[in-house]
Amino acid sequence: MKNRYWLLTGVYAGLIFLVSSFQIPPLPASPAISADKIAHFFEYAILGYFLYRACADSGGWLRARAPVISVLVAVIYAFSDEWHQLFVPGRQMSEWDFLFDSLGGIAVVLAMTRFRPVKAGPADASATGSGSISLLPFVVVVYGIGLLGAGFAILMTEKSTGIGLVQSFWAGKDSPLYFGFGAGVAVIIIAATRFLSNIRVFRQLEEEFRRILGRLKLYEVVVIALASGVAEETIFRGALQPHLGLIITSILFGLMHFPLSRFMIPWTMFAIVMGFILGGLYDYTGHNLIAPITAHFLINLVNLWLIAKSAGGPETVLLDADKTAEELPLPQDRINPT
């Protein structure tokens, strides 16, 4: 049965939802790190395995991007499950449960990409080499769901953290200053990444991104940069950092940028460092998201656009070997007859 892993994924996700719906007597407060966290880890490791196998058995961009999609879906489902428990008598939303759920899903996908990597076929090559047209709706939907969930979490925990939605996204007369902070940090980080691109491991990282992303149009770069900047900062800085703290949130942020190959390990390390920088901005500006969102958006925008251009973006003419010179949209005096 070709779609058996999708069926297993749906049944297993439904089972998780069912078990989380059981009412239980109020439990005494337990340590953040306790034995039940091991159960949470393996619970979502199983879900991550099913998701990875389901995507790997599919075709097109699902198969080509199986590691990314399986991790994103596992983490989003983990967050939705914790949010669902806010409405179940006797249960509560636990940031530590979410952390170990996420780590379980990430760990098994990392293991699968190492020991059972997806072998791309001809159809998958076209899915990854043609840019993000087919992926863009998925990016918007996934980040949109994450943004809504994180916003709701901020709203629901406002009494315990003292940080509300308005405080998170607006700072009154200080807002322009916070935009400036974010832009200034972005300029420094972009300059650092351009310098690092001269080092071999980072050149290999850029090549890997070119291979994965393919050609991106300007509007695709803008949408991806904006969606990732707003959603990731709202999730990690706005919803998680007030509960988990700067260190754990930054490490989790880095692990979410997990390497799809050995060439991408520097990306994960860089993301951890960026987690501390963006988290520091969030704390420095009084738990406001303007500065980290601005920095995150600008860093992604510039670096994605540079990668897209070097991969043959919309301003680069790619010659098709199957077309004659007369069929190409170039002036004839630009063609060397020899």
Side-chain angles (χ1 to χ4, degrees):
M1 182 179 176
K2 183 178 180 180
N3 297 321
R4 64 185 182 278
Y5 280 104
W6 284 118
L7 178 62
L8 286 171
T9 299
V11 171
Y12 188 72
L15 181 63
I16 292 175
F17 182 87
L18 180 63
V19 172
S20 298
S21 300
F22 292 152
Q23 299 182 17
I24 59 175
L27 298 175
S30 60
I33 307 296
S34 55
D36 73 301
K37 301 301 181 287
I38 299 176
H40 279 274
F41 181 92
F42 284 103
E43 177 185 11
Y44 275 81
I46 295 172
L47 179 63
Y49 173 80
F50 287 156
L51 283 166
Y52 182 87
R53 290 301 304 274
C55 291
D57 288 349
S58 301
W61 62 266
L62 274 175
R63 177 182 175 85
R65 298 177 174 89
V68 175
I69 294 171
S70 50
V71 164
L72 284 175
V73 174
V75 171
I76 290 172
Y77 192 76
F79 184 85
S80 71
D81 185 51
E82 291 302 318
W83 173 52
H84 156 239
Q85 293 181 62
L86 285 171
F87 307 95
V88 179
R91 293 185 179 272
Q92 59 184 356
M93 183 176 183
S94 170
E95 297 81 7
W96 286 100
D97 287 352
F98 168 68
L99 173 63
F100 278 85
D101 292 342
S102 301
L103 290 177
I106 292 170
V108 77
V109 171
L110 283 174
M112 292 296 288
T113 56
R114 175 66 179 85
F115 298 107
R116 194 185 177 95
V118 173
K119 296 180 180 179
D124 305 328
S126 63
T128 56
S130 59
S132 62
I133 294 176
S134 60
L135 182 63
L136 202 58
F138 177 80
V139 169
V140 173
V141 169
V142 168
Y143 277 127
I145 294 173
L147 177 62
L148 290 175
F152 189 82
I154 294 172
L155 185 64
M156 293 296 295
T157 58
E158 181 176 357
K159 290 184 179 179
S160 61
T161 63
I163 304 169
L165 277 175
V166 175
Q167 179 185 348
S168 296
F169 289 97
W170 186 246
K173 64 180 182 179
D174 290 330
S175 295
L177 180 62
Y178 293 171
F179 278 112
F181 283 160
V185 169
V187 169
I188 296 173
I189 298 300
I190 291 168
T193 58
R194 291 302 90 203
F195 172 78
L196 291 173
S197 65
N198 296 313
I199 302 174
R200 181 181 177 184
V201 293
F202 288 96
R203 285 202 306 270
Q204 292 173 330
L205 176 61
E206 285 198 3
E207 289 296 330
E208 194 72 2
F209 271 119
R210 291 188 192 103
R211 184 187 67 81
I212 294 172
L213 295 173
R215 288 180 291 169
L216 293 174
K217 297 179 181 178
L218 178 58
Y219 80 90
E220 293 173 322
V221 171
V222 172
V223 171
I224 293 173
L226 185 61
S228 60
V230 174
E232 290 182 17
E233 292 310 305
T234 305
I235 293 169
F236 286 95
R237 255 54 69 181
L240 294 181
Q241 188 163 313
H243 304 280
L244 302 180
L246 176 62
I247 296 176
I248 293 179
T249 303
S250 300
I251 294 173
L252 180 59
F253 178 73
L255 293 177
M256 279 294 296
H257 297 75
F258 65 97
L260 301 177
S261 70
R262 62 187 179 89
F263 297 118
M264 299 187 73
I265 293 175
W267 183 47
T268 303
M269 300 297 102
F270 182 77
I272 293 176
V273 174
M274 284 304 305
F276 280 97
I277 294 173
L278 296 171
L281 266 178
Y282 174 72
D283 286 341
Y284 180 75
T285 55
H287 302 116
N288 188 277
L289 291 169
I290 291 177
I293 285 176
T294 301
H296 198 147
F297 165 68
L298 291 176
I299 292 167
N300 283 1
L301 178 69
V302 174
N303 286 328
L304 278 174
W305 179 238
L306 291 174
I307 290 173
K309 287 186 68 177
S310 60
E315 296 181 0
T316 302
V317 177
L318 299 178
L319 300 183
D320 188 337
D322 295 328
K323 291 185 178 181
T324 64
E326 289 75 17
E327 292 175 306
L328 294 172
L330 293 173
Q332 293 298 312
D333 59 0
R334 293 279 302 277
I335 302 173
N336 189 340
T338 61

